[in-house]
Amino acid sequence: MISSRNEALKIVRENVANERIVLHMIAVSAIMKALARHFGEDEKTWELVGLLHDIDYEKTKNDPARHGLEAEEILKGKISEEILRAIKSHNFENTGVNPESRMEKALIAADAVSGLIIASALVMPHKKLEEVRVETLEKKFKQKDFARNVSRERILFCEQIGLPKDKFFEIALNALKEISGELGL
């Protein structure tokens, strides 16, 4: 069983060659850990969900119906059923595993908001997360032509776990600022 972030990162690096995808997974794991802290949930479990959620992305990018299911094959016996279910449910449109728990819904929102935050940092004068504010995210969220691939509907899953959008933006942004060095932003 994977019991630490380092073990999970090792398995991620064995399965994901694209560094941008690895950094995305690290970003989502930081947001998930911060959300767990906010809700008084198990930070280690939530962090692992975020870190492992796209482990099969390179293998399934041309077959989205397999995304999450392939991850199950890679991770079976290495993580809990709870984590596997969350990973499968973040692609519920294709896997048929509907998100039910707070952690599952949080993963969907965290996955999407990480893209909005990173895209916002990249248009800042110095391309740094420290320049991004919650107000920046609110404005960019409303601009449908900004970060077009970021699903606003998925970000709004935050409301299903009891977080207003601005509070969710604050938690997620602060989480990424804490690891800005690791992200190179």
Side-chain angles (χ1 to χ4, degrees):
M1 292 292 266
I2 296 171
S3 60
S4 72
R5 181 183 189 272
N6 286 341
E7 285 178 54
L9 205 46
K10 182 176 181 286
I11 290 175
V12 164
R13 293 204 178 275
E14 289 168 2
N15 287 277
V16 182
N18 185 324
E19 190 62 19
R20 284 184 55 216
I21 296 170
V22 173
L23 290 174
H24 163 70
M25 295 162 73
I26 289 169
V28 174
S29 73
I31 295 168
M32 288 294 290
K33 184 176 181 180
L35 289 169
R37 189 177 312 126
H38 174 80
F39 287 117
E41 299 281 355
D42 182 350
E43 291 180 33
K44 189 169 121 185
T45 299
W46 284 47
E47 180 181 34
L48 288 178
V49 164
L51 192 53
L52 297 169
H53 82 282
D54 275 348
I55 197 162
D56 65 354
Y57 181 78
E58 288 179 337
K59 292 179 175 93
T60 63
K61 65 183 172 205
N62 296 322
D63 186 7
R66 298 277 317 138
H67 183 44
L69 302 176
E70 193 71 32
E72 183 176 32
E73 297 303 313
I74 296 167
L75 297 168
K76 199 149 193 79
K78 295 179 181 147
I79 56 174
S80 70
E81 286 300 318
E82 175 188 32
I83 294 173
L84 277 177
R85 188 181 194 298
I87 290 170
K88 288 187 292 187
S89 75
H90 97 279
N91 186 25
F92 65 94
E93 302 91 338
N94 288 301
T95 63
V97 179
N98 288 318
E100 295 169 0
S101 73
R102 180 186 277 166
M103 182 174 69
E104 292 164 1
K105 292 174 182 177
L107 177 59
I108 291 166
D111 189 20
V113 82
S114 69
L116 182 70
I117 295 170
I118 302 296
S120 296
L122 292 174
V123 298
M124 291 292 154
H126 300 99
K127 297 183 179 352
K128 295 290 181 193
L129 283 161
E130 69 189 26
E131 299 173 275
V132 180
R133 306 276 174 264
V134 170
E135 299 77 33
T136 310
L137 298 176
E138 289 280 0
K139 196 162 76 173
K140 298 296 187 190
F141 179 87
K142 291 176 187 163
Q143 294 175 358
K144 301 300 178 207
D145 60 336
F146 180 80
R148 280 191 198 107
N149 293 339
V150 173
S151 167
R152 274 53 175 180
E153 296 76 26
R154 291 173 79 83
I155 289 174
L156 291 176
F157 267 70
C158 67
E159 295 172 348
Q160 294 184 37
I161 60 172
L163 281 178
K165 186 168 38 79
D166 59 337
K167 182 65 177 172
F168 177 59
F169 283 165
E170 178 189 330
I171 292 168
L173 179 59
N174 288 336
L176 294 191
K177 284 181 177 180
E178 285 179 26
I179 63 161
S180 61
E182 190 174 3
L183 297 175
L185 296 170

